[in-house]
């Protein structure tokens, strides 16, 4: 009866089960093991491991021989290779091998239980590749659940927000990383738009763990179930502090330029004398209203032109020659000119 129970269990198990003799020849296999190897049960009996699955023999044979020699089992060992059933396809198994002892506690064979884990392994590899992709960018990449709690934050995000890996792995409220000044607006505009349209892109303010506000350019994407319920909210956010500093510096430069231009214009217009600024090619780059009135033209029609375009030819050539001499000498010179408007 005991043997019958064993045979029924052995045959009906959905895990691959096998027994080797001391020469590592198959003595018994069940149907599940035969299907894993792609060879019928009967064809296993009396054959060696190397004859049935030659691709796995270099890895598995030394392990089995070690059990015969030491009497110690090997548990939950992951094996990878190919089989006759699916040549060219890498498959994965989780195997446990046990010594079989006789009445004198001598090892006379090896028993094994083998479970194929190829699907699980490929899913793990896919997840690892996805994690590598998410960890590669310098931008924050995060995922939250429908309740507004974080379920994933990449290393760049941890660095940006000043979080330890342990803290990032623990669920935290997404609101806790938003600056208080933008939290209401974020929910009213960004989050509501993402829920309604599936995504949102814009700028907001994050709050690091040390209380520092961080301007970011952010994208929100809402992932829903087939029933239309929110399942996850993913985000990508880029630290734009450097850009904001550059924009502020540009604004300051533009303001300073406006102030300088206003001062220059004030100087130009504060005297009844003619004031002119020319470039090295003799083109007018700044003048006052006194000269414009003298020439009878608006200032904007004079800027960019030279004397030949505005004055009588002889007068223009004479003035341009003197100006070239002054520029060549590099010295200041005072002189009087009699000029007639063109």
């Amino acid at each position: 009866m005991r043997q019958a129970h064993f045979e029924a269990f052995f045959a009906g198990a959905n895990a691959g089960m096998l027994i080797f003799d001391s020469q590592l020849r198959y003595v018994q296999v069940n149907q599940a093991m035969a299907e894993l190897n792609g060879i019928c049960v009967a064809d296993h009996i009396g054959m060696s491991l190397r004859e049935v699955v030659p691709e796995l023999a270099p890895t598995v044979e030394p392990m089995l021989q070690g059990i015969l020699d030491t009497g110690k089992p090997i548990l939950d060992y992951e094996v990878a290779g190919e089989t006759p059933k699916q040549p060219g396809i890498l498959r994965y198994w989780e195997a446990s091998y046990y010594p079989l002892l006789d009445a004198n506690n001598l090892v006379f064979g090896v028993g094994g239980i083998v479970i194929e884990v190829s699907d699980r392994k490929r899913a793990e590899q896919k997840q690892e590749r996805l994690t590598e992709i998410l960890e590669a960018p310098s931008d924050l990449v995060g995922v939250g659940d429908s309740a507004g709690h974080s379920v994933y934050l990449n290393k760049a995000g941890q660095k940006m927000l000043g979080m330890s890996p342990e803290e990032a792995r623990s669920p935290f409220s997404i609101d806790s990383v938003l600056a208080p000044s933008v939290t209401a607006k974020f929910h009213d505009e960004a989050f509501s738009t993402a829920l309604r349209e599936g995504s949102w892109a814009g700028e907001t303010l994050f709050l690091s763990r040390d209380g520092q506000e961080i301007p970011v350019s952010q994208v929100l994407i809402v992932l829903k179930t087939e029933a239309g319920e929110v399942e996850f909210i993913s985000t990508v956010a880029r630290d734009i502090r450097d850009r904001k500093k550059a924009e502020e510096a540009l604004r300051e430069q533009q303001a300073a330029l406006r102030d300088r231009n206003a001062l220059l214009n004030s100087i130009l217009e504060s005297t009844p004398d003619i004031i002119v600024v020319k470039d090295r090619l003799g083109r007018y780059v700044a003048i006052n209203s006194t000269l414009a009135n003298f020439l009878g033209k608006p200032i904007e029609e004079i800027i960019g032109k030279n004397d030949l375009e505005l004055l009588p030819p002889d007068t223009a050539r004479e003035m341009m020659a003197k100006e070239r001499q002054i520029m060549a000498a590099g010295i200041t010179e005072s002189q009087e000119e009699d000029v007639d408007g063109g």
Side-chain angles (χ1 to χ4, degrees):
M1 179 65 71
R2 184 175 180 181
Q3 181 65 27
H5 287 166
F6 171 77
E7 295 291 344
F9 171 75
F10 197 90
N14 58 7
M17 302 184 72
L18 54 87
I19 294 176
F20 291 107
D21 64 15
S22 60
Q23 302 301 313
L24 297 181
R25 294 186 297 257
Y26 287 95
V27 174
Q28 190 171 358
V29 299
N30 67 352
Q31 183 61 35
M33 190 72 243
E35 291 177 357
L36 288 177
N37 289 339
I39 299 175
C40 70
V41 172
D43 288 345
H44 278 76
I45 307 306
M47 296 183 70
S48 69
L49 173 72
R50 186 171 293 274
E51 292 173 312
V52 175
V53 281
E55 296 83 0
L56 299 178
T59 301
V60 179
E61 272 187 352
M63 294 168 47
L64 300 179
Q65 188 61 52
I67 295 173
L68 291 172
D69 295 340
T70 66
K72 295 181 180 180
I74 295 177
L75 306 178
D76 300 326
Y77 186 85
E78 188 176 281
V79 182
E82 302 175 11
T83 67
K85 181 180 180 180
Q86 293 181 310
I89 298 178
L90 186 62
R91 298 165 66 189
Y92 299 87
W93 300 269
E94 197 170 85
S96 295
Y97 298 106
Y98 306 86
L100 301 178
L101 307 177
D102 62 16
N104 296 316
N105 284 330
L106 299 176
V107 180
F108 67 88
V110 176
I113 300 174
V114 180
I115 301 174
E116 183 163 7
V117 293
S118 296
D119 290 343
R120 187 193 76 191
K121 188 68 176 180
R122 292 190 182 97
E124 291 173 352
Q125 291 172 341
K126 184 177 180 180
Q127 181 62 40
E128 289 174 359
R129 287 194 295 271
L130 177 60
T131 300
E132 289 175 358
I133 292 171
L134 295 177
E135 293 295 345
S138 58
D139 297 334
L140 176 152
V141 179
V143 180
D145 61 21
S146 58
H149 292 94
S150 172
V151 297
Y152 172 78
L153 182 66
N154 70 348
K155 291 180 181 178
Q158 296 169 27
K159 182 178 180 181
M160 181 190 297
L161 298 174
M163 287 187 178
S164 67
E166 294 74 22
E167 186 179 7
R169 284 193 292 268
S170 301
F172 59 86
S173 170
I174 294 174
D175 283 356
S176 69
V177 298
L178 290 172
S181 60
V182 302
T183 302
K185 182 179 180 181
F186 181 84
H187 284 279
D188 293 342
E189 297 181 10
F191 194 66
S192 61
T193 299
L195 290 176
R196 183 176 63 254
E197 301 179 6
S199 64
W200 172 84
E203 294 183 5
T204 189
L205 281 175
F206 282 173
L207 185 69
S208 68
R209 284 302 189 244
D210 62 3
Q212 184 179 8
E213 291 189 350
I214 305 168
V216 296
S217 174
Q218 184 179 21
V219 175
L220 288 176
I221 300 175
V222 174
L223 306 175
K224 297 184 179 181
T225 64
E226 293 182 359
E229 297 179 350
V230 175
E231 186 173 17
F232 295 108
I233 304 161
S234 62
T235 187
V236 178
R238 175 166 295 177
D239 186 336
I240 57 173
R241 279 177 288 192
D242 289 343
R243 194 188 83 188
K244 289 293 186 181
K245 289 178 181 177
E247 290 174 351
E248 179 61 27
L250 179 59
R251 284 192 293 269
E252 291 177 356
Q253 291 173 359
Q254 291 172 337
L257 180 60
R258 287 193 298 270
D259 291 343
R260 287 195 295 270
N261 289 341
L263 176 61
L264 176 60
N265 186 66
S266 175
I267 294 171
L268 291 174
E269 297 300 334
S270 65
T271 175
D273 298 328
I274 291 176
I275 298 180
V276 175
V277 179
K278 294 180 179 179
D279 63 17
R280 296 186 65 85
L281 297 177
R283 294 173 300 201
Y284 291 87
V285 295
I287 65 171
N288 63 356
S289 299
T290 305
L291 176 62
N293 294 334
F294 174 77
L295 296 176
K297 298 178 182 295
I299 292 177
E300 57 270 16
E301 290 186 13
I302 300 172
I303 299 299
K305 294 181 179 180
N306 60 34
D307 289 332
L308 286 172
E309 298 171 283
L310 299 169
L311 301 174
D314 292 341
T315 302
R317 281 190 286 269
E318 182 181 352
M319 290 183 63
M320 294 175 72
K322 290 180 179 179
E323 290 167 359
R324 283 193 292 269
Q325 291 175 358
I326 293 172
M327 285 189 289
I331 59 175
T332 301
E333 183 175 327
S334 299
Q335 60 185 20
E336 294 184 0
E337 301 279 357
D338 290 327
V339 180
D340 294 327

